[in-house]
Amino acid sequence: MSSVTSGDGRRPLVRISSVSWGAVDDRFLRALRREPVDRTPVWFMRQAGRYLPEYRELRGDRDILEAIRAPELAVELTLQPLRRMPLDAAIVFADIMVPLAAIGVPVRIEPGIGPVVDDPIRDASGVARLRALEPEVDEPFALETIRLLRKELRVPLIGFAGAPFTLASYLVQGGPSRDHARTKALMHDEPGTWSSLMDALSAVSRSHLLAQVEAGVQAVQLFDSWVGALSPSDYARSVQPWVERVLVDLPVPSIHFGVGTGELLTLMRDAGGDAIGIDWRVLLDRAWERIGADRAIQGNLDPAICTGSWEVVERGALEVLERAARRDGHVFNLGHGVLPQTPVENLQRLVDLVHERTAR
Ligand code: CP3
């Protein structure tokens, strides 16, 4: 497989057989709608990634954004984890920075670091450089990947976008940040500039999601990965109205995910999402109580646990399942992305465990 290069149209990368699990499996979509399921569905954020040797082999030294721009390669990377284990959903191989790169933001993704923006946005003139996203023109490869995937998959395909705050943080900080200090400074000191920035980014997220739906994704996840850095009052005032614009009246079920959001859960719920994605810092049953029974919930095993012995993974997973208590509307996942050092076998056994222990 390492001999296959991106954009090589002569050798199709897609092999159908290994991603079919018999009948079409829609327990993931049923769970998002809080309908009864035969087993609790399971998928993993970052299920395509460096923990898979075949991923490392196929990616090689190729830049991740370049890999994403090659639909046949992105299809293959999306399918790899599904060949390894009977996951109940696939997630398009892409990145939250893709639509920003597509409108001309100078972003790179540094291995081991994350997105880096060379010319960060610090004022109104920076915001003015952002333009509207025209998905069919600016990112046709992303939509082509989805169309190709839908022909191969027997499980639902998830599209996704970064939420306005998380995107803003990369654009303003210029890279990953612990304290998000510059982003918060812009939010507090220049509210007019901040709301223009959020206007632009929520429009990009929304167009990106709608285009993916049109291309064939059956559910979407909005990643507000870094929103847990905000106080509830700042979230309510400076972020929530724009998240609402992204999520309102989407044509497919949506998952609204954030990290470290224990105190923001009701505000996030009010902003939208058929399901709320939670991390491991909050107990699943307590989080669900806060969110309310009229929403589905996704989570929430600590990804770090999955790097250790199976006995510990099993214990952690069983606690999550116990707290979910087979209520309709639970999608099993990790609380954040799979870590690169995770043994593949742990995830394979985890999928089987969830399916076996939740058979209704
Ligand atoms: O399998 C999947 O989940 C689909 C692929 C996916 C990627 N990025 C591919 C990727 C998804 C859903 C994302 C979303 C994403 N990207 C988020 C939101 C999810 C989250 O983790 O909170 C964020 C914050 C980003 C930005 C980003 N891109 C980071 C922080 C990194 C990690 C940098 C590193 O090397 O650790 C990336 C790079 C990236 N995006 C990788 C993958 C598989 C790893 C890079 C590699 O394989 O070399």
Side-chain angles (χ1 to χ4, degrees), residues 254-269:
S254 60
I255 303 159
H256 183 184
F257 169 77
V259 176
T261 57
E263 216 50 56
L264 300 178
L265 287 174
T266 56
L267 295 167
M268 287 177 64
R269 170 203 66 200

Side-chain angles (χ1 to χ4, degrees), residues 106-251:
V107 57
R108 292 175 279 123
I109 296 183
E110 294 277 343
I113 299 174
V116 175
V117 178
D118 286 326
D119 190 8
I121 291 179
R122 296 286 155 79
D123 52 26
S125 74
V127 177
R129 292 199 304 266
L130 296 174
R131 65 165 174 85
L133 175 72
E134 289 182 70
E136 295 287 352
V137 179
D138 298 324
E139 48 177 18
F141 52 86
L143 309 177
E144 178 62 10
T145 298
I146 292 166
R147 293 186 198 104
L148 292 171
L149 277 167
R150 278 302 307 277
K151 294 184 198 157
E152 308 303 331
L153 286 166
R154 297 293 173 274
V155 293
L157 179 61
I158 306 168
F160 67 91
F165 176 79
T166 292
L167 294 178
S169 173
Y170 285 115
L171 291 182
V172 176
Q173 301 289 150
S177 169
R178 222 177 265 277
D179 53 23
H180 306 271
R182 281 179 181 277
T183 314
K184 292 181 183 181
L186 186 72
M187 175 190 291
H188 294 299
D189 300 345
E190 294 187 53
T193 305
W194 179 256
S195 64
S196 312
L197 177 59
M198 296 305 267
D199 285 347
L201 294 176
S202 55
V204 167
S205 287
R206 174 90 181 170
S207 313
H208 186 55
L209 290 179
L210 288 175
Q212 290 174 81
V213 172
E214 210 162 299
V217 303
Q218 293 132 302
V220 294
Q221 177 155 324
L222 189 68
F223 282 98
D224 214 347
S225 304
W226 313 135
V227 79
L230 294 174
S231 74
S233 346
D234 285 344
Y235 180 81
R237 183 176 39 235
S238 304
V239 174
Q240 191 191 37
W242 286 275
V243 173
E244 206 173 321
R245 285 191 207 173
V246 177
L247 289 175
V248 69
D249 286 335
L250 286 172

Side-chain angles (χ1 to χ4, degrees), residues 43-50 55 59 64 68 91-97 109-115 160 166 170 223 225-226 257 259 336-337:
W43 70 282
F44 302 121
M45 290 183 276
R46 289 277 170 85
Q47 64 193 23
R50 279 173 296 185
Y55 173 91
R59 265 284 310 282
I64 184 166
I68 290 166
I91 181 162
V92 182
F93 190 80
D95 193 85
I96 58 167
M97 302 308 282
I109 296 183
E110 294 277 343
I113 299 174
F160 67 91
T166 292
Y170 285 115
F223 282 98
S225 304
W226 313 135
F257 169 77
V259 176
H336 202 175

